[in-house]
Structure formats: C-alpha cells, structure tokens
Amino acid sequence: MTSRSFGYRGYTAIEDFQRVLEEARAGSEWAAAVIFDALQAPLLRYLRWQEPSAADDLAGETWLAVAERLGKFEGGEDALRAWLFSVARRRIAEYRRRGARRRTRPVAPEDLAGVPGGHDPSELVVETLSAQQAIDHVTASLNPDQAEVVVLRIVAGLSVEEVAHVLGKRPGTVRVIQHRALRRLAQLRVADAPTRQGR
Amino acid sequence: MGAWDDLDGVGPTGIDEAIFEDVLTGALDPLDMPPAVRAVSALIDKARQPATSEELAARTTTVPAFALVAQAEQTSAGRRRKSASVLRFPVRVMAIATPVALLGVGVAAATDSLPSSTQAAVSHVLSHVGISVPDPQAHAIVGEPSHASTSASVPSGNGAVAVSGGAVPVPTASRSSNGGLRGSRAVPPPLSSGPTHPAGNAAVACTSLSGNAADGANPPTLDGCSQVADTGGSGVLSGGGLAQAGNTTVTWRAGGTISFRYTSTVPQAKGDQCPADPTSPGNKETEVVLRGSALSPGNGSLRAKVCITSTLDVTLLPGTSFKL
C-alpha cells in the first residue's frame, strides 16, 4: 500500500491501481483506504466549494454510491477520479433539487471578517491561506461555468476531456471556457506572489 | 532571478496555451512561471496542497462503510439493486454507528461473540446499506444467548452465499433480493412466552417514545399507551430498538408481549420532518418510518414515525403516535 508522486503536484497517485481496485471491489478495507486517501481531499474541496454546509454528508454519500457501483467500474485511476466527481456532481444536483438547503447560507456579519474574499486580492498572503480559501480566491472573479471548469481541473485534477465528460460539454467548449477563465485569472495580483528574490 | 523575471510587465496577452496548461496542472513551480501568472499559479498551488488530517477525518467511518457496501455488492453480483435510502441516509448517523461496529470487530475476534448493543448498532448501519441483520437482543427474549458468526449470507436468488471470513463485522446477515429493507430470513422470529395483544386485536396507540436504539440499558420505551388495562400504559421495545429493519417485541408493563417484523425507511417525498438534532448542531434528527406486521399473535400491524439523533436516541415524530 504505497503511493507515489502524481503528475499534479500536491496529490498522490495510487500505485498498482488495478490491484487496489480489485481488492476494494472485494471489500478490502486497506484498498478502500488507499482510494479514500488519494481522492477524499479533492472531493471534499470540490464539495465544500459547491455546498459548504452539506459537503461532508455529500462526500459520504458519494463514496457509498461509488462503492455500490464499483463492481461495474472499468478503467484506470484517472477514470475513477472522473467518475467520482461525476457522482459527486449528481449528488449536489440531487441535494439542490431536494431543496434541503439553499444554495447560499446566511452568515453572521462578524463571521465575514475572517473571509479572505472580503479583502483586496493585492493584500492576500498566500502562505496563510488554506486550500479551501485559495480555491475561493481563484474562483471569486470567474463566472459559474468558468469557476467549475477551473476547479475540476485544479482541484479534481481532471483533464479537459474528463471535465467535458463530467459537465456534459464538448472538449472544445471546455477549452474555450478555461481559456477565458485563465486570461481573467492572469490579471489577479497577490501581494506575496513568489519571487526568486523573496524566497 | 528566474528565466521569466526579466519579462515583468508583460501582459496576459503574452501567455500562451501551454503556459495556461502548466498553470492548471501545476506542472511547474510558481517560481518558474511567467510573472503574469505567478500569482494565480501560487494560489492554485495552494489549492492543490496535500490533504489535511481534518479532510481525512471521515476515514474511520467512510472506509469501513465503503468496504462493506462494495463487498455486499460484489457478492450479490447480477442482482444489484438500487438502494436510494442508503445513499440518502445521513452519514452523521453512520458516523456514530460505524465506530461501534468496528469496536465489535475486535470484541468478536477476541471472544467470538459480538455484544448485543454493538450488534444493534451494526444492524442499524447495515439496514441502511441494504443488509438486514438479526439482532441478538431478540434472542435474549426467549433465552437464547447472543451468537456471532463471522460470515455473512446474502440471498442472491440462488440461495444464501457465504460472503466473508473475519474481516466484516456481520453476523449472519441476509440481504433482501427485491430491493427493500425487511426483516431477516436467516433467523426465526422471536417467540414470546405467552404472546398477548392487549384487548385482543384492538389497536393500541402510544403517545410517547424515549430511549436509545443502541443502548441496552436505556431501551426504547413507549408511554401514554391506550388500552391501559392490558398495556399498563407503557411498554419496552426489545430486539435492537427501532433503528433497524428486523423484529422487535413490546413487553407491556401489564405483562403481555407482542412481536413484530418491521421495516424502516427514510421518507423522501416530504423530506425530514424531525426537529433539530441536539446532539449534532446544525442538523436535523433523522426521520425513519416504521411499518410492520405482528408475528405473535399474528394479527395487527405496526406504524410509527420516529426521529433519531446522531447518538441514536429515539423519539416519536412530534404530533404522531406509535400505533400497534
């Protein structure tokens, strides 16, 4: 049960994925743990970005839904990752249809002081941000379509083709959306953007 | 100074697709990015940082549940069924019950038996992942000792199939083949000693329910029951409480008993009508609808709407009664 560096910096990939998958299908807890450890953080970050108040429950539902259909799954780790986020996205849609929670949630005024998005981006101190706060900053200036494409690329680590599959769009459309998003993001300034001299 | 630092001031229009792709995939360190995208690259790098312990906190509950469901599905290959209630059942309830189940694994391994309270919790969890597990407390009613087998049986159309050895804390589980939650077929229903329904087959309605579905010392108790002459006004439910599909027996204060086989479902149409859960701030208690039919004596039915906290305390849905 080991993992190695993944192409996307910061994440790990599952070593000997097919064996892990087979063991997970058979109900092996260690194999389930390997998959969980590799994908839980991006899943939770995506869900918290989408539905902060229900993210933990939605993550649990997503994992159980995946477990229930794991026997039918075929593919490699990238395919599993894309499938996981497809399931998560359906859970979010279902959750919103149920109307159990509103898309937005009321926040007490005093809580806003700690929200990084309330500050001028030029005052941001990247080192102090959590992953979730960084996601919020990255997506703050984007429209919903752009934001979801970017989050699925940077958080979920999906390719353009996988994002297109998850969102039900054509890859070309996703490329256009992501290009516009990045041109907008390129205007973002952060006070402590790393420099050779400053590090 | 990096390769790009002498290009400070170059606008976004100077960034090509390949660099954008590098930004998105984190292929390069932000320091190696052109200045125009260095800031956003640093943010994206931050967004992609390794998992924190907080983010993996659900591991202890999600992983065992994942493994259990995957195994059950594997075993029932060809007869998969959609168990929507599983997926919608709040994980917070599972989060309470699963550690208890895990505790039971160790106990079972050491003593070859699961404590009845643990079994009740395990049964509760499994009833919502499509598996109904008999409750040892139901056997205690008729004097049988708790037992534990480390295998699970899953009817799959061709009869029961052994599922596992040791790894799964499931004593003698059976799985519905039609997709619904229901009482176990693996163990005969409990037989009460002198089953009597109050006032013959007349219905009894109780206005209060209290207790805990997994705590044998504080079992679910009905109060405010009609037919006082026969019920004594109250009764105690045994057989694992109300949070599972299976069998339960009501022992009336007046002395009689009645046994039921029941199923529990999480209502979808109207949503959860239960009040806020005092044991889980920000969440509601979980509403579970119980339906059942009498086993002994053979007439009568059971209907109730129950609210369950994250610690498995049970009460009636406000404004409803427990009907027998």
Side-chain angles (χ1 to χ4, degrees):
Chain A
M1 180 174 43
T2 57
S3 59
R4 59 178 165 76
S5 295
F6 192 50
Y8 297 97
R9 285 160 9 95
Y11 292 156
T12 56
I14 298 168
E15 193 168 83
D16 200 359
F17 175 77
Q18 290 303 326
R19 186 172 76 90
V20 170
L21 180 63
E22 282 304 312
E23 292 284 342
R25 282 178 180 146
S28 162
E29 281 198 20
W30 73 259
V34 168
I35 293 173
F36 177 87
D37 287 353
L39 298 176
Q40 166 72 355
L43 173 65
L44 203 52
R45 288 170 192 175
Y46 173 70
L47 291 170
R48 284 177 175 173
W49 172 70
Q50 289 273 22
E51 286 291 346
S53 63
D56 289 9
D57 276 354
L58 289 171
E61 292 178 7
T62 300
W63 281 116
L64 288 181
V66 166
E68 195 172 36
R69 301 179 189 108
L70 197 61
K72 289 182 176 176
F73 171 79
E74 291 182 359
E77 182 179 355
D78 289 345
L80 178 66
R81 182 180 286 259
W83 178 44
L84 178 76
F85 280 87
S86 294
V87 173
R89 201 163 181 272
R90 283 197 292 272
R91 293 283 147 218
I92 293 167
E94 184 179 291
Y95 171 81
R96 290 174 181 167
R97 276 199 299 273
R98 292 202 304 262
R101 297 283 192 278
R102 292 181 296 169
R103 175 68 179 87
T104 56
R105 53 180 179 151
V107 178
E110 58 270 24
D111 293 337
L112 293 175
V115 178
H119 296 284
D120 184 331
S122 66
E123 297 174 359
L124 291 177
V125 180
V126 175
E127 288 305 314
T128 66
L129 297 179
S130 67
Q132 207 65 48
Q133 290 170 325
I135 293 165
D136 289 343
H137 282 303
V138 168
T139 56
S141 62
L142 304 178
N143 70 38
D145 276 353
Q146 292 171 343
E148 184 155 32
V149 166
V150 168
V151 169
L152 286 172
R153 297 246 26 221
I154 68 174
V155 177
L158 303 184
S159 67
V160 167
E161 289 71 23
E162 289 164 345
V163 170
H165 181 73
V166 169
L167 298 182
K169 298 180 186 293
R170 290 180 302 175
T173 304
V174 170
R175 284 196 181 89
V176 169
I177 292 172
Q178 112 183 354
H179 183 78
R180 288 175 178 161
L182 286 167
R183 288 180 67 82
R184 190 172 187 85
L185 288 173
Q187 298 167 13
L188 186 62
R189 293 289 181 271
V190 181
D192 70 342
T195 61
R196 292 289 179 192
Q197 295 88 341
R199 290 182 120 181
Chain B
M1 176 174 279
W4 293 91
D5 289 337
D6 56 345
L7 297 179
D8 262 330
V10 172
T13 53
I15 307 301
D16 63 24
E17 288 292 332
I19 292 173
F20 278 160
E21 191 64 18
D22 287 345
V23 170
L24 286 172
T25 60
L28 296 175
D29 189 288
L31 287 169
D32 297 323
M33 292 291 184
V37 293
R38 194 171 289 167
V40 68
S41 182
L43 275 175
I44 289 174
D45 203 44
K46 197 73 177 175
R48 198 183 280 120
Q49 65 185 286
T52 65
S53 57
E54 184 273 332
E55 288 171 325
L56 298 179
R59 191 178 196 267
T60 54
T61 54
T62 302
V63 167
F66 182 99
L68 205 55
V69 171
Q71 184 184 52
E73 289 297 319
Q74 172 92 340
T75 307
S76 61
R79 295 193 62 83
R80 295 184 196 287
R81 63 183 181 79
K82 186 173 181 65
S83 55
S85 62
V86 172
L87 307 179
R88 292 173 182 143
F89 196 74
V91 172
R92 58 196 165 87
V93 173
M94 187 175 293
I96 295 299
T98 303
V100 181
L102 292 175
L103 175 63
V105 179
V107 174
T111 66
D112 198 31
S113 67
L114 289 168
S116 58
S117 60
T118 298
Q119 175 60 20
V122 171
S123 179
H124 166 67
V125 172
L126 294 183
S127 73
H128 290 285
V129 296
I131 299 171
S132 72
V133 180
D135 190 319
Q137 292 176 354
H139 296 268
I141 296 169
V142 291
E144 292 182 22
S146 298
H147 70 283
S149 161
T150 53
S151 66
S153 64
V154 181
S156 60
N158 295 321
V161 178
V163 171
S164 78
V168 178
V170 185
T172 318
S174 71
R175 176 169 193 143
S176 164
S177 60
N178 64 4
L181 297 174
R182 64 173 185 194
S184 168
R185 293 187 301 180
V187 174
L191 300 174
S192 62
S193 53
T196 57
H197 192 291
N201 291 324
V204 173
C206 301
T207 58
S208 171
L209 173 67
S210 60
N212 188 283
D215 181 1
N218 180 29
T221 301
L222 295 165
D223 285 297
C225 300
S226 60
Q227 311 285 345
V228 176
D230 296 308
T231 65
S234 66
V236 176
L237 287 119
S238 55
L242 302 174
Q244 62 176 12
N247 301 330
T248 189
T249 296
V250 180
T251 301
W252 300 113
R253 177 191 274 179
T257 63
I258 183 168
S259 296
F260 290 90
R261 173 170 290 169
Y262 67 91
T263 62
S264 62
T265 56
V266 178
Q268 303 297 326
K270 292 183 179 179
D272 191 335
Q273 305 293 308
C274 287
D277 186 347
T279 65
S280 180
N283 291 308
K284 283 184 170 183
E285 295 180 13
T286 301
E287 181 181 346
V288 173
V289 178
L290 301 173
R291 293 186 181 86
S293 56
L295 292 168
S296 167
N299 295 324
S301 62
L302 179 156
R303 286 184 67 85
K305 295 180 177 178
V306 177
C307 295
I308 305 174
T309 71
S310 66
T311 55
L312 304 186
D313 290 332
V314 294
T315 56
L316 287 176
L317 178 70
T320 67
S321 59
F322 199 108
K323 296 172 182 172
L324 298 166

